[in-house]
Amino acid sequence: MADILNQLNDKQRQAVEAVDGPVMVVAGAGSGKTRVLTYRVAHLLNQGIDPFNVLALTFTNKAAREMKARIVKLVGNADAKNVWMGTFHSIFARVLRSEASRIGYPSHFSIYDTDDSKRLIKSIVKELNLDDKVYATGYVLNRISSAKSALINATAYNNNEEILLQDKMAGKPNLGEIYKIYHNRCYRASAMDFDDLLLNTYFLLDKFTDVLLKYQRKFEFILVDEYQDTNRAQYMILKQLAANNENICVVGDDAQSIYAFRGANIQNILNFKHDYPDAQEFKLEQNYRSTKTIVKAANTIIVNNKDQIFKEIWTENEEGNLIQLVKATSDNEEGTLVANSIFETKMNNQLQNDAFAILYRTNAQSRAMEEALRRLNIPYRIYGGLSFYKRKEVKDLLAYFRLCINTKDEEALRRIINYPARGIGKTTQEKIIVAADQSGTSQWEIIENPNKYALNLNSGTLNRIAAFVTMIRSFTVQVKTKNAFELAKLIATSSGITKDLFEDKTPEGISRYENIEELLNAIKEFSEKEREKNISEEDEKNQEEASIRTLDEFMQDVALITDADVQDKDSTDKVSLMTVHAAKGLEFPYVFIVGMEENLFPSIQSLGSRADLEEERRLFYVALTRAEKKVTISFAENRYRWGNLTICEPSRFIDEIDRKYLEFPQRQRVKTVNKDSGSLKAAPGITKRNLKKINKSNFSVSTGSIEYDSDVIEKIFPGVEVEHARFGKGKVINVEGNGSNKKAAVFFKNVGQKQLLLKYAKLKILN
């Protein structure tokens, strides 16, 4: 093991060897944090720690699998596979399945994904006769998710007068009722959504002292990756589990905290030493990814943030190219300039397409980039598209699996009760739903005993329902006894799904059929891999029994798959297009950051408070540090937004980069391809004539001395009605601070509550 630790630099090794007590590893971009986590677990095992007593939490299943494989390779011990390593959701789902009866759930509870939750919310809004535009599904789900992440369950939500007042002032007074019904429906269906996996784990540990003590003793050593991305629920669960011996090691980078919109709280990492005063802190400041120019430029950006753990990232890599600045007259020309630059760089340096990434602030910006790339026949892929497990035909078959495992799963039942079509129409389904609601029982109970609940259906419909129930029952009795692949294939065939898709000979139909085939391939692979692992753990006597890996085990894994875990098989040698949020954790030799304009990046919605603006700056820092060799930053003078041509100004973040790291060419000759001859010609770019427009005085957006109307600010107090250029009309709820630091909480009719720094907000007083 000593030889292995010699592969680490001094700081990495110190962090790995500090085994006892709380430890915080502040890992700058490209500094090898994954290596530290991996070697730390390997070091613990080498010290004789039982792998069953080590808990390592990540944010993607893919990262957990890769780390576990590296650990096994490092220690040469198959027992390393027994480390409790996985995502927060997968680990705590495992705990909940073991302890489910304590909180009134069966161990085989279903896990609803976002689509399931949205379908349920949509049906609740419809049942309550509410306006689905006011109670938009996405908004309602985000509101419920935010509450759960803050450990506010449905009961607490409806008992909180302040929250209910917020909803009322936002014009959505029925949110609490929707939340309550949503919770009750999930509970009735023996289902949890992703947020419930954390919320219920917290309440399980909080309510049952013996359960808490059990897992405190079990998880003797706790390691957490990307700690800056944890929300309140995750933070509180970790506090509970680590309270006994405080052997907790968190690894993260406050400068890459960019998920506040998902509930992530940067204060968790900033306050770690306050939570654990005896904590040791190690800073990994050597960057192994990027050139000196990129690293130094990124430092000049992030230093502008007030809320941070100071560190000076450095590298021994080459100096590298200056960061190239590209100015376009329009968003379409911006796309052309970027595509041309990729084409020229690729040709001149004999590079593959996958060496390039185009990063943008919003998905809508991809259009101009896609069109330009297509004109040059440059293949590309967009991250964040529809993942394999979200395709309709795949979700349909998975719904059959879910219902066979948990017949109370109402979203699965509603999805497949009439697919393929079997004559159980919409009217019949509505009668089933009404009967279930009136009797307070599951929809499966209703269709199992239709006469008991007086559905008043004709004999033909009753026979079709009975045939469906019999089919599902026949699958259910085989869940625990039949091999996962064999049962999955039987369900796909007997349900009629494969026949229905096979008969569709359109290109789309053929693709859907192939997706079902691919799903069955995945189950086959799961069965075989698990069989090999488990046979090695069992004696010969139990070999046959141990070889059976069941469908419910496969579904436990699938239910927790995220988009980040899904591999796109068609992603080889293509330019990558994605939002900066999606790019976190990735790296590319050449990175183009496009749309660097005020109100776009930083987003106009972030300009109301320093905290929001600092998160936008961290987002730009993440974008810069994805690059290994070269960064190109582009902006447009004009851009269409909501059908209107708007005049744009360069982002303030460009002005924050030290000028010595930027390239302002006297004449930029980005080439375009002549379609007919294939020859190159000059395209408009930054010329000597317009270079003066991009000097420091004209180009900058001041972020230091801000002019504001102190008289107006002094007149803003609770109860005052105001108007914001972006958010519209609202009412001031609370005011704090003085002078230039004065802040106000304002409820806006269309967007809810916003916290605004008044010197930036430019509010107009209406009364």
Side-chain angles (χ1 to χ4, degrees):
M1 189 69 182
D3 292 336
I4 294 177
L5 294 185
N6 286 337
Q7 299 173 25
L8 304 172
N9 66 34
D10 290 343
K11 286 293 184 181
Q12 290 173 338
R13 180 162 184 161
Q14 290 171 24
V16 166
E17 292 182 319
V19 170
D20 297 318
V23 172
M24 178 169 68
V25 181
V26 182
S31 64
K33 72 174 179 61
T34 303
R35 172 178 282 250
V36 168
L37 278 168
T38 303
Y39 278 70
R40 185 178 174 86
V41 174
H43 182 59
L44 286 171
L45 300 184
N46 191 62
Q47 297 296 305
I49 302 300
D50 189 331
F52 285 101
N53 295 137
V54 178
L55 171 64
L57 295 165
T58 67
F59 274 83
T60 69
N61 294 302
K62 179 183 175 184
R65 286 193 299 269
E66 290 176 351
M67 286 175 60
K68 187 172 286 192
R70 289 192 202 180
I71 293 165
V72 171
K73 188 175 180 180
L74 280 174
V75 300
N77 184 355
D79 203 34
K81 294 180 180 179
N82 294 322
V83 171
W84 279 60
M85 178 174 285
T87 65
F88 282 88
H89 294 93
S90 66
I91 293 295
F92 297 137
R94 187 174 167 186
V95 169
L96 287 170
R97 291 198 187 279
S98 178
E99 312 290 343
S101 61
R102 297 291 194 113
I103 55 174
Y105 282 86
S107 61
H108 57 267
F109 62 81
S110 296
I111 298 176
Y112 280 179
D113 64 13
T114 302
D115 291 339
D116 295 320
S117 295
K118 285 184 175 180
R119 280 163 57 97
L120 178 53
I121 288 171
K122 189 174 182 179
S123 67
I124 294 170
V125 169
K126 183 178 179 181
E127 290 167 22
L128 294 175
N129 294 315
L130 298 173
D131 188 339
D132 60 5
K133 293 183 176 61
V134 175
Y135 294 92
T137 306
Y139 178 90
V140 174
L141 181 58
N142 287 339
R143 183 69 169 169
I144 293 173
S145 177
S146 296
K148 289 182 178 181
S149 295
L151 300 177
I152 301 171
N153 62 17
T155 301
Y157 191 102
N158 282 283
N159 289 335
N160 190 309
E161 293 183 4
E162 183 179 349
I163 292 177
L164 297 179
L165 178 61
Q166 291 176 8
D167 290 343
K168 186 176 180 179
M169 297 189 70
K172 299 173 175 61
N174 296 98
L175 279 172
E177 184 181 8
I178 296 171
Y179 186 6
K180 180 180 178 181
I181 297 173
Y182 174 79
H183 165 74
N184 291 339
R185 292 282 178 83
C186 287
Y187 185 76
R188 190 175 77 187
S190 295
M192 300 185 196
D193 61 23
F194 263 46
D195 295 306
D196 286 327
L197 297 176
L198 301 180
L199 181 69
N200 288 335
T201 298
Y202 170 77
F203 285 119
L204 171 72
L205 299 177
D206 187 59
K207 186 175 181 180
F208 300 98
T209 307
D210 60 321
V211 176
L212 174 60
L213 187 59
K214 171 185 173 181
Y215 288 100
Q216 283 178 337
R217 288 172 175 170
K218 182 174 187 62
F219 301 136
E220 186 179 351
F221 292 89
I222 300 173
L223 299 90
V224 187
D225 189 16
E226 304 286 11
Y227 190 65
Q228 78 280 350
D229 293 335
T230 53
N231 60 28
R232 176 164 176 76
Q234 292 161 331
Y235 167 80
M236 290 301 296
I237 293 169
L238 290 169
K239 287 278 287 183
Q240 289 172 314
L241 293 175
N244 194 39
N245 54 41
E246 295 194 344
N247 286 333
I248 180 171
C249 172
V250 301
V251 181
D253 182 7
D254 57 292
Q256 297 186 67
S257 179
I258 59 173
Y259 294 121
F261 67 96
R262 293 182 187 169
N265 186 354
I266 191 175
Q267 297 303 320
N268 292 347
I269 191 169
L270 295 179
N271 293 333
F272 185 80
K273 295 193 75 174
H274 178 268
D275 293 333
Y276 302 96
D278 297 330
Q280 299 181 70
E281 180 182 297
F282 301 94
K283 294 180 181 179
L284 307 184
E285 297 174 298
Q286 182 176 1
N287 179 293
Y288 292 94
R289 175 189 301 154
S290 308
T291 64
K292 285 187 174 70
T293 296
I294 294 170
V295 168
K296 291 175 181 177
N299 284 342
T300 66
I301 288 291
I302 204 63
V303 74
N304 292 283
N305 272 6
K306 179 179 178 181
D307 289 336
Q308 64 171 300
I309 300 170
F310 180 78
K311 52 192 172 297
E312 186 71 27
I313 307 302
W314 58 277
T315 184
E316 292 181 346
N317 294 340
E318 64 181 356
E319 197 69 35
N321 296 300
L322 293 176
I323 294 173
Q324 187 175 15
L325 192 63
V326 173
K327 169 186 159 185
T329 58
S330 67
D331 48 353
N332 286 330
E333 186 186 68
E334 181 185 36
T336 299
L337 292 171
V338 169
N340 293 341
S341 181
I342 290 174
F343 181 86
E344 187 172 22
T345 304
K346 187 176 76 166
M347 293 298 104
N348 290 343
N349 298 282
Q350 298 298 299
L351 299 171
Q352 297 284 96
N353 293 305
D354 59 10
F356 301 89
I358 301 174
L359 309 182
Y360 34 76
R361 181 63 181 82
T362 65
N363 280 306
Q365 293 170 253
S366 73
R367 179 198 59 80
M369 300 297 145
E370 291 183 70
E371 291 178 358
L373 291 170
R374 282 199 297 267
R375 282 195 293 270
L376 296 185
N377 293 317
I378 298 175
Y380 63 89
R381 69 154 294 190
I382 297 179
Y383 279 69
L386 195 63
S387 69
F388 177 80
Y389 286 98
K390 288 189 176 180
R391 292 167 185 166
K392 179 186 180 301
E393 60 278 6
V394 173
K395 287 182 70 69
D396 289 339
L397 185 51
L398 291 177
Y400 270 97
F401 299 165
R402 284 167 46 183
L403 189 63
C404 295
I405 295 164
N406 173 20
T407 53
K408 290 184 178 180
D409 189 332
E410 295 186 352
E411 289 307 304
L413 175 62
R414 292 174 64 182
R415 188 178 189 98
I416 63 170
I417 193 170
N418 198 40
Y419 177 75
R422 53 177 58 90
I424 306 175
K426 186 176 180 181
T427 301
T428 300
Q429 293 177 48
E430 289 176 350
K431 288 182 178 180
I432 294 169
I433 294 169
V434 170
D437 290 343
Q438 290 177 345
S439 60
T441 189
S442 70
Q443 293 176 29
W444 179 260
E445 168 69 16
I446 300 296
I447 65 174
E448 267 197 317
N449 305 282
N451 294 324
K452 177 181 177 181
Y453 295 97
L455 283 181
N456 297 320
L457 301 173
N458 61 52
S459 59
T461 302
L462 288 173
N463 289 337
R464 288 188 285 272
I465 290 175
F468 174 74
V469 169
T470 300
M471 178 181 66
I472 297 300
R473 280 176 177 164
S474 71
F475 298 149
T476 298
V477 298
Q478 300 179 74
V479 167
K480 290 295 186 183
T481 60
K482 208 175 190 72
N483 174 280
F485 172 71
E486 293 173 357
L487 181 56
K489 190 173 182 181
L490 174 65
I491 294 172
T493 304
S494 301
S495 65
I497 285 183
T498 52
K499 181 176 182 294
D500 182 67
L501 296 177
F502 183 76
E503 291 175 349
D504 185 352
K505 298 301 181 182
T506 64
E508 294 80 8
I510 293 171
S511 176
R512 287 193 287 268
Y513 181 80
E514 290 173 344
N515 285 335
I516 293 298
E517 182 181 28
E518 181 59 30
L519 175 59
L520 293 175
N521 290 340
I523 299 174
K524 178 76 169 177
E525 184 180 359
F526 165 85
S527 301
E528 291 180 347
K529 282 187 177 180
E530 291 295 312
R531 178 184 297 120
E532 292 171 5
K533 185 178 81 173
N534 282 276
I535 286 178
S536 67
E537 296 171 353
E538 301 288 338
D539 57 34
E540 273 185 45
K541 182 179 177 182
N542 297 322
Q543 190 176 65
E544 183 178 348
E545 184 178 336
S547 69
I548 297 176
R549 308 310 295 158
T550 56
L551 192 59
D552 60 330
E553 293 175 275
F554 173 76
M555 287 302 295
Q556 288 178 31
D557 286 353
V558 168
L560 295 162
I561 288 176
T562 64
D563 290 347
D565 299 314
V566 179
Q567 293 290 326
D568 186 341
K569 294 191 175 184
D570 190 34
S571 63
T572 56
D573 195 27
K574 294 182 178 180
V575 174
S576 296
L577 276 68
M578 68 189 82
T579 64
V580 183
H581 282 103
K584 187 170 176 290
L586 303 177
E587 56 188 47
F588 305 90
Y590 296 84
V591 169
F592 291 79
I593 308 172
V594 301
M596 287 302 301
E597 299 140 25
E598 281 294 293
N599 300 331
L600 183 55
F601 200 172
S603 164
I604 190 171
Q605 295 179 340
S606 72
L607 303 182
S609 72
R610 180 173 60 80
D612 290 342
L613 183 60
E614 289 198 354
E615 174 138 337
E616 287 289 298
R617 186 176 287 111
R618 292 194 295 269
L619 191 61
F620 182 47
Y621 175 85
V622 167
L624 275 177
T625 55
R626 297 313 91 199
E628 298 170 358
K629 295 181 178 297
K630 185 177 180 181
V631 175
T632 301
I633 295 174
S634 65
F635 66 94
E637 293 180 301
N638 304 281
R639 184 178 297 274
Y640 275 99
R641 304 190 73 174
W642 301 103
N644 298 314
L645 187 64
T646 59
I647 299 174
C648 308
E649 58 179 311
S651 169
R652 69 187 70 192
F653 295 151
I654 299 176
D655 192 43
E656 290 178 357
I657 302 175
D658 193 309
R659 316 303 285 179
K660 63 186 176 185
Y661 303 124
L662 289 173
E663 178 183 355
F664 295 95
Q666 290 189 344
R667 181 169 183 83
Q668 182 188 6
R669 297 185 62 84
V670 180
K671 313 290 184 178
T672 60
V673 176
N674 185 306
K675 244 182 177 181
D676 299 324
S677 65
S679 61
L680 298 173
K681 61 180 182 178
I686 299 176
T687 64
K688 190 173 183 179
R689 183 178 180 181
N690 62 27
L691 181 61
K692 292 180 180 179
K693 297 180 181 179
I694 313 177
N695 61 29
K696 189 170 178 69
S697 59
N698 294 325
F699 183 68
S700 66
V701 179
S702 174
T703 59
S705 178
I706 304 292
E707 292 186 10
Y708 59 94
D709 192 332
S710 59
D711 291 337
V712 171
I713 290 178
E714 289 303 314
K715 294 177 182 177
I716 293 177
F717 53 86
V720 171
E721 293 184 355
V722 295
E723 186 173 9
H724 186 275
R726 170 71 174 176
F727 304 135
K729 295 179 180 179
K731 180 177 284 188
V732 178
I733 303 303
N734 185 47
V735 176
E736 58 183 51
N738 296 298
S740 63
N741 294 318
K742 196 170 184 179
K743 296 186 292 187
V746 183
F747 277 104
F748 294 97
K749 183 177 180 181
N750 296 324
V751 296
Q753 182 175 335
K754 295 288 181 181
Q755 189 81 10
L756 304 176
L757 191 60
L758 294 180
K759 69 178 181 181
Y760 293 120
K762 298 181 180 178
L763 294 175
K764 178 182 177 183
I765 297 176
L766 299 179
N767 61 356

